[in-house]
Amino acid sequence: MVPGHEIAGEVTEVGSKVRKVKVGDKVGVGCMVGACHSCESCANDLENYCPKMILTYSSINTDGTITFGGYSDHMVANERYIVRFPDSMPLDAAAPLLCAGITVYSPLKYFGLAEQGKHVGIVGLGGLGHVAVKFAKAFGAKVTVISTSPSKKTEALEHLGADSFLNSRDPDQLQGAMGTLDGIIDTVSAVHPILPLLGLLKSQGKLVLVGAPDKPLELPVISLIMGRKTVSGSSTGGMKETQEMIDFAAKHNITADIEVISMDYVNTAMERLAKADVRYRFVIDIANTLAATKP
């Protein structure tokens, strides 16, 4: 298996029927490289919900071969699954938007939270959470970061521009914010209680899960019934929306906060990742790594 699915680079060669890009263009490939193109999801530009979606790596391609990801010197992809980067966007800091960015952009739009004056909570300030704050602010929303780490308050308010911060371990803070949020984007992938989050929502508020805990979460149904509240999920986005997200990000100068590393640093990076010691995405500079190793 060759992994890697937030891939950014330049076009070096195109097929004879390609019209979308040309040699030299700055492009990216996200989480998928294929789908059936005949189902309802594909017809609605939601290839990410196609039951036959082909993931960028370790998936079975249409020709029966295994797909290889972006941790390589080159890759080949169908033009439908290519995203064009505006010249103004740096490839390294834009690459994480192809997964983390679209994963938070899509639910903000779909659930009506990408509107001026909406009050949005972002749970977790990591790879997804920090770009969620940036997108929500760019949409004109009021943003509250919700975290178990009080140490992230300064980062949330001063660096990322959030309007307020809630320590989710502090009952008094939670009580003071009850019923104030129109929606919450929950990016946490660890098992955690959602009852306190539902309490923060206004009536008819929406809690959208984009993290993926490895065990089922407990669903407090009474809280849903009494406020006509919704718990939902969301997964990346289709290719049309992913291009829209990149164009929006370029217009509003949104990129991921990254640390660029060489390929031989990957094992150390994985150890640091396990300790949450990264702000907020490692990006591997493969081209320069390869250039440095050539005799």
Side-chain angles (χ1 to χ4, degrees):
M1 183 181 77
V2 179
H5 75 185
E6 293 174 326
I7 310 157
E10 291 187 3
V11 177
T12 57
E13 193 175 344
V14 297
S16 60
K17 295 181 181 178
V18 170
R19 298 291 178 264
K20 185 174 178 179
V21 295
K22 63 184 185 303
V23 172
D25 284 356
K26 295 165 66 173
V27 297
V29 176
C31 303
M32 56 186 169
V33 292
C36 77
H37 304 159
S38 59
C39 69
E40 186 175 357
S41 290
C42 286
N44 290 323
D45 297 309
L46 293 169
E47 300 94 338
N48 55 309
Y49 295 121
C50 172
K52 296 182 179 178
M53 175 185 64
I54 301 170
L55 296 172
T56 301
Y57 66 86
S58 200
S59 194
I60 304 299
N61 217 331
T62 52
D63 62 359
T65 60
I66 296 173
T67 56
F68 294 123
Y71 295 168
S72 58
D73 55 353
H74 69 277
M75 73 174 294
V76 181
N78 184 296
E79 67 175 339
R80 178 168 175 156
Y81 296 90
I82 297 290
V83 176
R84 299 183 303 275
F85 286 119
D87 288 337
S88 61
M89 290 196 89
L91 288 178
D92 52 4
L97 299 181
L98 296 169
C99 179
I102 186 61
T103 295
V104 296
Y105 178 94
S106 185
L108 284 169
K109 294 276 287 189
Y110 182 80
F111 291 100
L113 303 175
E115 298 174 12
Q116 192 83 27
K118 291 286 187 181
H119 192 173
V120 178
I122 306 296
V123 185
L125 198 62
L128 272 67
H130 89 286
V131 289
V133 172
K134 295 183 181 187
F135 277 117
K137 287 298 294 181
F139 284 131
K142 180 181 178 183
V143 178
T144 295
V145 170
I146 304 161
S147 174
T148 57
S149 305
S151 60
K152 292 188 175 181
K153 180 176 181 178
T154 300
E155 176 82 1
L157 300 179
E158 297 181 8
H159 176 61
L160 295 172
D163 298 283
S164 55
F165 181 90
L166 282 179
N167 176 359
S168 55
R169 296 189 195 276
D170 186 330
D172 292 336
Q173 288 190 29
L174 294 177
Q175 184 65 35
M178 290 274 284
T180 60
L181 303 178
D182 295 291
I184 295 173
I185 304 294
D186 185 346
T187 72
V188 175
S189 56
V191 174
H192 60 288
I194 62 173
L195 179 60
L197 301 177
L198 292 172
L200 298 174
L201 292 171
K202 299 176 182 176
S203 294
Q204 303 180 82
K206 306 171 182 85
L207 170 61
V208 187
L209 307 173
V210 296
D214 59 359
K215 294 178 182 176
L217 301 182
E218 193 171 300
L219 186 65
V221 177
I222 293 297
S223 293
L224 301 182
I225 294 171
M226 298 308 292
R228 195 155 73 172
K229 298 174 184 180
T230 302
V231 177
S232 187
S234 185
S235 171
T236 65
M239 296 313 302
K240 181 179 178 181
E241 188 174 43
T242 301
Q243 185 66 62
E244 174 192 299
M245 177 272 304
I246 288 293
D247 294 339
F248 181 89
K251 181 180 178 181
H252 294 273
N253 296 313
I254 295 173
T255 54
D257 291 8
I258 62 166
E259 181 178 334
V260 177
I261 63 172
S262 59
M263 200 71 189
D264 56 8
Y265 189 77
V266 165
N267 287 347
T268 304
M270 292 295 285
E271 292 169 6
R272 287 180 54 193
L273 196 61
K275 302 172 189 171
D277 178 24
V278 57
R279 295 286 174 90
Y280 284 96
R281 270 285 202 263
F282 287 119
V283 174
I284 305 170
D285 188 344
I286 294 168
N288 282 328
T289 299
L290 291 171
T293 58
K294 286 181 179 178

